[in-house]
């Protein structure tokens, strides 16, 4: 096995460049040569030396090709103020034209996407304008608009306009249709569909066009200055050539390359300027370790291999599971409202089964969350399970890292590795997951030396939760018209296909944390993958919030405070599918503590009743295509955990 620490902690500071297979450091020279820009600078210096040598050896006349040293000489003879004046003039024209173009092109693309009529009418006109060489129409525009900056700004704007309109329209139209359907089913307004779904999805397309257009804007400005101007780099080059001052013309050309282009694009070699396009793109569209972005025009995903992208705090996924689409559009903070969470008494279960089944059904159809009491698990057993869980989290990192969670598997230890599709940031937590067959198959139990009796205690608690889960699920089976043991058979614990999971979660203490740490989530908004979740929490360690389906578009969240003696339960996506969407798998999340709340560590122990791998899930109405619980779960896990 590779070092457990490096394989378990995905955000390790050790990079592949630093270590080769043998573990020895990479040779320093090789390291230097791989530094970005070094080889480019070396090639540039070589080319300049060759040019200089050729100019002297072959005695090339200065008016044909001046030597680099002659160009350098004219640079210094021109004077800084003159340079700065010409560069500023070109910059001003290029940037105003570029900004004007963006201000018109993006709204126009939105209108064209909304109106096929407008699109059919305007698109051919745009193609005609684009295919007319700007050099050809520049003199006409100058005649029409007269002297001053106006004609030059229009020319810079015209040349940049087409790529921005076309790319933006393409990005807006490429939004996955299931996301649009989902937003409409959540009654999102047209404006919200554009601003929160289509535009964020189009961000990479728009930025590709902006990057191309920024250099086009400089070309447009310089071309316009060739035709009519009294300042600017184009004017300076034109003037220098007409006076046969070729080294000066070359200096003007290199000055434009060296100063104008990087200034407008915000890039100087590999260093980012504070206002660069790339920085802006990263802000709107932060790359993440596990996201795989398709370049504009390429759709990268196939069913079963989810690809995630994040746009403006909202994740867009290309896996076709509708549940992922639901999670993807609910990353924001939203507001908090009070709602009643149903409370159900499970006492005298066998005699009251039908009454309990009705109460469970009603709660699950309406909100998908409920709390049960008289549930049959002793409070002492629950308290003991929390204590045992803490003995695991207290272990030194290197001991926990002996049992790391393998890729695509719901078992073992992970540290801040779960990135929710809703937020795109890792949950602020660590967890240890117990999925019985995987623990043996992949040797994921902590050893008895490291943690005596842990395994036995956790297995006992796992079994108690399974029993409670099956009791509740048998009520749903009754109401759905299945045999009472339908779900118990689908969660058969004696099968090697068993994949129900007991999860021990430790949310880090926020005592003394910086204000910015409170902007992340302990657990980002999600719906559970399973049939039913049985969630043990400790009184005083709140933070769980739910956002029921019909109100999801309003982003209204409700706190569900833990109460001693009550276990919070919720329907998961497997059961929602299996019931043809009659039962609600509700979005929920764990927020950071508020100022007046307990700031210490938070523990929770959810048990996820996940149907066995070989169970085929399909509801009586066949609303969803049949899928095995094994495939379903793998796809959901892969959409949540970093690829290793
Ligand atoms: O810790 C909690 O209260 C909720 C955890 C949760 O929702 C989950 O792990 O799916
Ligand atoms: Fe959950």
């Amino acid at each position: 096995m590779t070092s457990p620490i490096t394989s378990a902690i995905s955000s390790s500071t050790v990079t592949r460049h630093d270590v080769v297979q043998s573990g020895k450091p990479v040779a320093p020279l090789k390291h230097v040569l791989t530094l970005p820009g070094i080889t480019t600078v070396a090639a540039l210096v070589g080319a300049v030396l060759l040019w200089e040598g050729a100019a002297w050896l072959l005695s090339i006349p200065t008016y044909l090709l001046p030597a680099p040293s002659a160009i350098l000489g004219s640079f210094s003879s021109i004077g800084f103020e003159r340079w700065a004046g010409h560069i500023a003039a070109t910059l001003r024209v290029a940037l105003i034209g570029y900004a004007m173009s963006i201000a018109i092109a993006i709204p126009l693309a939105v209108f064209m996407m909304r109106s096929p009529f407008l699109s059919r009418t305007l698109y051919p006109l745009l193609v005609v304008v684009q295919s007319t060489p700007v050099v050809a129409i520049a003199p006409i525009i100058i005649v029409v608009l007269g002297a001053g900056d106006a004609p030059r700004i229009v020319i810079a704007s015209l040349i940049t306009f087409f790529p921005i309109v076309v790319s933006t329209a393409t990005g807006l139209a490429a939004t996955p249709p299931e996301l649009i359907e989902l937003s409409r089913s959540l009654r999102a307004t047209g404006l919200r569909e554009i601003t929160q779904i289509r535009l964020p999805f189009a961000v990479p397309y728009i930025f590709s066009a902006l990057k191309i257009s920024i250099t086009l804007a400089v070309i447009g400005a310089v071309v316009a200055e060739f035709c009519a101007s009294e300042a600017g780099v184009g004017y300076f080059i034109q003037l220098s050539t007409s006076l046969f001052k070729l080294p000066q013309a070359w200096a003007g050309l290199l000055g434009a390359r060296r100063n104008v282009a990087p200034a407008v694009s915000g890039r100087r070699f590999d260093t980012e300027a504070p206002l660069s396009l790339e920085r802006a793109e990263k802000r709107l569209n932060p790359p993440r370790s596990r996201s795989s972005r398709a370049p504009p025009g390429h759709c990268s995903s196939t069913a079963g291999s989810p690809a995630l992208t994040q746009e403006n705090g909202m994740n867009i996924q290309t896996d076709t599971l509708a549940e992922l689409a639901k999670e993807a559009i609910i990353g924001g903070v939203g507001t908090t409202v009070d709602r009643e969470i149903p409370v159900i008494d499970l006492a005298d279960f066998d005699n009251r089964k039908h009454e309990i089944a009705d109460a469970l059904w009603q709660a699950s159809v309406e909100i998908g969350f409920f709390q049960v009491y008289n549930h049959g698990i002793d409070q002492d057993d629950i308290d003991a399970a929390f204590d045992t869980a803490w003995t695991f989290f207290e272990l030194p990192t290197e001991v926990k890292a002996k049992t790391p969670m393998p890729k695509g598997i719901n078992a073992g230890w992970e540290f801040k590795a779960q990135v929710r599709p809703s937020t795109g940031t890792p949950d602020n937590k660590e967890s240890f997951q117990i999925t019985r067959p995987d623990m043996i198959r992949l040797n994921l139990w902590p050893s008895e030396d490291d943690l005596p009796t842990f395994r036995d205690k956790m297995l006992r608690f796992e079994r108690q939760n399974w029993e409670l889960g099956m009791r509740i699920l048998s009520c749903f089976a009754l109401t759905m018209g299945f045999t009472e043991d339908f779900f118990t058979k689908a969660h058969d614990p004696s099968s090697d296909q068993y994949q129900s999971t007991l999860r021990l979660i430790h949310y880090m203490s926020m005592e003394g944390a910086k204000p910015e740490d409170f902007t992340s989530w302990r657990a980002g908004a999600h719906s559970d993958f399973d049939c039913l979740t049985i969630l043990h929490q400790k009184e005083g360690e709140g933070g769980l919030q739910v956002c029921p389906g019909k109100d999801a578009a309003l982003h209204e969240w409700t706190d569900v405070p833990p109460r001693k003696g009550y276990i919070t339960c919720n329907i998961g996506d497997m059961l929602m599918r299996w019931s043809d969407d009659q039962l609600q798998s509700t979005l929920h999340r764990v927020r950071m503590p508020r100022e007046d709340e307990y700031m210490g560590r938070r523990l929770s122990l959810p048990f996820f009743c996940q149907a066995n791998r070989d169970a085929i899930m399909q509801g009586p109405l066949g609303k969803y295509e049949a899928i095995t619980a094994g495939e379903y779960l793998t796809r959901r896990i892969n959409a949540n955990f970093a690829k290793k």
Side-chain angles (χ1 to χ4, degrees):
M1 222 204 288
T2 53
S3 156
I5 298 178
T6 48
S7 63
I9 304 176
S10 57
S11 58
S12 165
T13 50
V14 179
T15 67
R16 278 175 189 278
H17 291 297
D18 299 326
V19 181
V20 289
Q21 281 101 326
S22 63
K24 290 185 192 127
V26 173
L29 179 62
K30 203 169 159 197
H31 210 67
V32 168
L33 286 179
T34 56
L35 284 178
I38 291 282
T39 46
T40 315
V41 172
L44 193 71
V45 170
V48 170
L49 289 178
L50 210 67
W51 179 0
E52 182 75 30
W56 290 109
L57 286 176
L58 304 174
S59 306
I60 301 172
T62 304
Y63 62 85
L64 282 184
L65 182 66
S69 54
I71 297 172
L72 210 66
S74 59
F75 254 125
S76 44
S77 68
I78 294 163
F80 174 76
E81 267 179 32
R82 228 174 121 203
W83 263 129
H86 287 303
I87 286 167
T90 305
L91 254 179
R92 189 180 63 244
V93 167
L95 286 178
I96 298 176
Y98 181 60
M100 214 168 90
S101 171
I102 295 172
I104 301 172
I106 293 180
L108 184 67
V110 171
F111 285 123
M112 284 170 62
M113 193 275 305
R114 298 290 289 180
S115 159
F117 170 75
L118 203 64
S119 174
R120 273 198 310 273
T121 314
L122 290 186
Y123 200 81
L125 292 179
L126 288 173
V127 173
V128 169
V129 173
Q130 173 67 12
S131 53
T132 312
V134 74
V135 206
I137 46 170
I140 302 172
I141 293 173
I142 286 165
V143 170
V144 174
L145 294 179
D149 277 349
R152 292 191 290 280
I153 290 171
V154 168
I155 291 166
S157 181
L158 266 184
I159 199 170
T160 54
F161 189 68
F162 186 77
I164 302 178
V165 179
V166 171
S167 281
T168 308
T170 309
L172 292 170
T175 311
E178 57 271 34
L179 279 187
I180 301 301
E181 268 169 40
L182 182 77
S183 78
R184 289 180 186 164
S185 73
L186 294 172
R187 282 182 259 119
T189 59
L191 184 66
R192 212 158 177 179
E193 180 185 311
I194 294 285
T195 55
Q196 294 194 5
I197 300 184
R198 288 193 188 268
L199 271 176
F201 194 87
V203 163
Y205 294 79
I206 296 173
F207 272 88
S208 298
L210 293 185
K211 284 176 196 165
I212 295 167
S213 300
I214 193 72
T215 43
L216 289 179
V218 179
I219 295 173
V222 171
V223 165
E225 287 161 2
F226 280 156
C227 297
S229 180
E230 279 152 19
V233 177
Y235 161 78
F236 179 78
I237 294 171
Q238 181 86 330
L239 182 75
S240 304
T241 42
S242 62
L243 297 174
F244 273 92
K245 291 184 174 174
L246 263 293
Q248 197 170 293
W250 275 88
L253 177 68
L254 297 180
R257 171 66 204 95
R258 177 71 186 85
N259 295 300
V260 181
V264 290
S265 65
R267 272 188 82 82
R268 285 172 184 274
F269 297 107
D270 284 311
T271 319
E272 280 185 27
L275 290 174
S276 77
L277 276 176
E278 298 193 8
R279 191 165 280 220
E281 183 178 14
K282 275 183 201 151
R283 283 192 84 121
L284 285 171
N285 193 24
R288 293 195 319 276
S289 56
R290 61 170 314 283
S291 69
S292 88
R293 175 180 308 292
H298 292 81
C299 194
S300 72
S301 176
T302 54
S305 60
L308 298 182
T309 58
Q310 188 193 17
E311 322 295 346
N312 203 5
M314 174 169 81
N315 281 279
I316 307 298
Q317 52 73 42
T318 50
D319 189 298
T320 49
L321 288 180
E323 292 85 341
L324 283 170
K326 179 166 77 175
E327 282 183 350
I329 62 165
I330 191 103
V333 178
T335 53
T336 310
V337 299
D338 283 339
R339 288 187 187 90
E340 206 170 308
I341 304 298
V343 174
I344 298 168
D345 182 1
L346 300 189
D348 197 15
F349 184 83
D350 291 332
N351 292 325
R352 294 177 53 241
K353 190 156 193 175
H354 288 276
E355 180 196 333
I356 292 171
D358 287 347
L360 288 172
W361 186 264
Q362 195 181 338
S364 305
V365 165
E366 280 171 9
I367 187 164
F369 261 81
F370 49 89
Q371 290 179 320
V372 295
Y373 63 105
N374 293 324
H375 41 68
I377 306 182
D378 234 43
Q379 187 60 44
D380 288 348
D381 289 341
I382 296 172
D383 293 343
F386 273 112
D387 292 344
T388 310
W390 184 241
T391 61
F392 174 84
F393 293 121
E394 269 186 323
L395 288 172
T397 302
E398 57 279 14
V399 178
K400 290 187 272 194
K402 286 182 189 174
T403 54
M405 184 176 136
K407 176 173 159 33
I409 302 285
N410 241 346
W413 177 68
E414 61 80 22
F415 182 85
K416 295 192 183 179
Q418 185 160 16
V419 178
R420 304 283 183 180
S422 59
T423 57
T425 51
D427 284 352
N428 195 15
K429 66 170 198 270
E430 62 177 322
S431 72
F432 184 73
Q433 310 209 57
I434 298 168
T435 305
R436 285 195 304 95
D438 290 335
M439 308 308 280
I440 308 288
R441 192 169 58 87
L442 301 166
N443 195 20
L444 293 174
W445 282 112
S447 71
E448 282 299 302
D449 287 346
D450 286 333
L451 209 53
T453 70
F454 174 78
R455 174 181 166 151
D456 288 347
K457 287 177 179 159
M458 282 301 143
L459 280 177
R460 185 168 168 269
F461 190 59
E462 198 264 1
R463 185 67 187 204
Q464 288 174 301
N465 279 282
W466 178 86
E467 277 164 13
L468 173 59
M470 293 312 116
R471 235 181 302 146
I472 295 174
L473 284 174
S474 72
C475 293
F476 292 118
L478 264 183
T479 316
M480 286 165 72
F482 294 142
T483 55
E484 218 172 302
D485 62 354
F486 178 84
F487 289 117
T488 310
K489 282 186 178 151
H491 293 76
D492 179 2
S494 66
S495 162
D496 62 355
Q497 302 288 305
Y498 182 74
Q499 57 172 358
S500 292
T501 302
L502 173 64
R503 191 175 200 191
L504 324 179
I505 309 182
H506 167 211
Y507 301 94
M508 290 30 169
S509 166
M510 297 304 290
E511 271 159 6
K514 294 194 281 299
E516 59 267 30
D517 297 335
F518 286 84
T519 55
S520 69
W521 297 97
R522 278 183 150 168
H526 65 281
S527 53
D528 288 347
F529 317 154
D530 57 352
C531 285
L532 176 74
T533 306
I534 295 180
L535 174 65
H536 302 275
Q537 296 167 298
K538 294 180 102 167
E539 203 164 50
E541 298 184 13
L544 179 70
Q545 294 189 307
V546 305
C547 183
K550 59 183 184 314
D551 298 331
L554 304 173
H555 291 223
E556 288 179 344
W557 294 85
T558 295
D559 285 321
V560 187
R563 282 199 283 173
K564 212 176 181 99
Y566 293 76
I567 298 175
T568 302
C569 301
N570 63 279
I571 304 299
D573 296 329
M574 283 185 174
L575 194 56
M576 182 150 162
R577 280 186 167 240
W578 228 327
S579 67
D580 296 308
D581 284 348
Q582 293 183 81
L583 303 175
Q584 298 300 311
S585 166
T586 291
L587 286 160
H588 55 285
R589 65 188 183 188
V590 183
R591 62 167 171 78
M592 287 291 177
R594 298 190 180 116
E595 252 173 45
D596 55 341
E597 291 177 336
Y598 160 74
M599 289 281 166
R601 65 159 158 85
R602 176 180 190 272
L603 296 179
S604 75
L605 305 174
F607 178 71
F608 301 105
C609 304
Q610 287 157 170
N612 287 8
R613 300 190 62 77
D614 54 357
I616 296 168
M617 304 192 305
Q618 191 166 41
L621 307 177
K623 182 166 177 182
Y624 292 96
E625 266 180 39
I627 182 170
T628 62
E631 188 194 335
Y632 181 81
L633 196 64
T634 304
R635 282 166 72 172
R636 296 300 298 276
I637 296 170
N638 285 343
N640 271 255
F641 288 94
K643 292 181 176 66
K644 288 176 189 166

